Amino acid sequence: MDAITALHARRSHPVLTDPAPSGGDLDAILAAAAAAPDHGRHRPWRFVVIKGAGRKAFGEVLAEVYRRSAAQRGEQPNAAAEDRERAKPLRAPVIIAVACAAGGDEKVPHAERLAAVAAATQNLLLAATALGYGAMWRTGAPARSATVRDALGFAPGDEITGFVYLGSIPDGQELPPARRNLDGLVREWP
Ligand SMILES: Cc1cc2nc3c(=O)[nH]c(=O)nc-3n(C[C@H](O)[C@H](O)[C@H](O)COP(=O)(O)O)c2cc1C
């Protein structure tokens, strides 16, 4: 698929299935992410690939995060809600957790590192789309959880910026390209 077609075709697919990108395809997707623009060549992106049985282990981490946050709110954990958290990583055969490493300086402030990691994440989505896979960028409470960050082996200063769910789009669940309305968003100057 050419780049412009992939850019227009990319959609968020909430449920993905096998086959997952692996081998050369997964390498190509990760290499595309690492080809993102990056002020100062800081390479601030970090990627953790979660697949197979690792997804069940990740589900246990999400269940623990849910139990802890319920306890912090002074609530009894709800078994159904906990099971929903446990099942979330099973929505796709591969998940790539993406984080921005701590750092920044006068020339490249932290916001620009985050911008580079967002560009890398978009490259992940677009490379997956171009290779015929479906993808979805998710965040939510787990992205802001030190428990998740530590469990995935990210460094203490790393900031999770997303979980990219990857896999094949189930038959009949292809989404049409979204219509992008530019009204009021673009102008020429002066
Ligand atoms: C930083 C970021 C975080 C996101 N987090 C979530 C999320 O936690 N849950 C979710 O359903 N979608 C999430 N999305 C995906 C958006 O919901 C999705 O891109 C939007 O609905 C537009 O749909 P499209 O991607 O098919 O064009 C996120 C997107 C971005 C850029």
Side-chain angles (χ1 to χ4, degrees):
M1 191 186 293
D2 69 76
I4 292 294
T5 304
L7 281 156
H8 288 286
R10 185 216 56 80
R11 295 297 311 277
S12 294
H13 291 274
V15 178
L16 296 162
T17 188
D18 283 312
S22 63
D25 280 358
L26 188 57
D27 288 348
I29 289 168
L30 288 164
D38 163 25
H39 194 181
R41 301 201 178 170
H42 286 200
R43 303 174 75 231
W45 37 72
R46 302 288 182 270
F47 307 109
V48 172
V49 179
I50 306 165
K51 60 185 178 183
R55 295 171 308 149
K56 281 200 170 174
F58 186 44
E60 291 305 326
V61 174
L62 297 187
E64 184 191 338
V65 168
Y66 166 74
R67 283 195 303 273
R68 282 193 192 188
S69 73
Q72 274 168 6
R73 292 192 303 269
E75 295 170 9
Q76 282 294 324
N78 172 294
E82 186 177 326
D83 280 346
R84 277 198 296 279
E85 293 302 308
R86 191 172 279 113
K88 280 182 175 175
L90 305 179
R91 293 175 294 190
V94 173
I95 303 162
I96 300 177
V98 183
C100 178
D105 51 34
E106 271 182 27
K107 187 175 163 223
V108 185
H110 187 68
E112 292 193 6
R113 292 167 68 88
L114 285 169
V117 175
T121 309
Q122 174 72 346
N123 278 10
L124 275 179
L125 301 175
L126 293 172
T129 304
L131 290 172
Y133 297 100
M136 182 153 179
W137 182 345
R138 297 180 188 272
T139 49
R144 297 180 282 276
S145 161
T147 303
V148 173
R149 182 198 65 207
D150 295 348
L152 293 179
F154 286 118
D158 292 352
E159 191 175 336
I160 295 176
T161 52
F163 303 96
V164 176
Y165 285 62
L166 291 173
S168 294
I169 302 166
D171 283 345
Q173 291 186 30
E174 298 83 3
L175 295 169
R179 281 201 199 151
R180 310 298 179 183
N181 184 351
L182 294 175
D183 289 352
L185 301 177
V186 183
R187 57 192 168 84
E188 286 191 17
W189 185 90

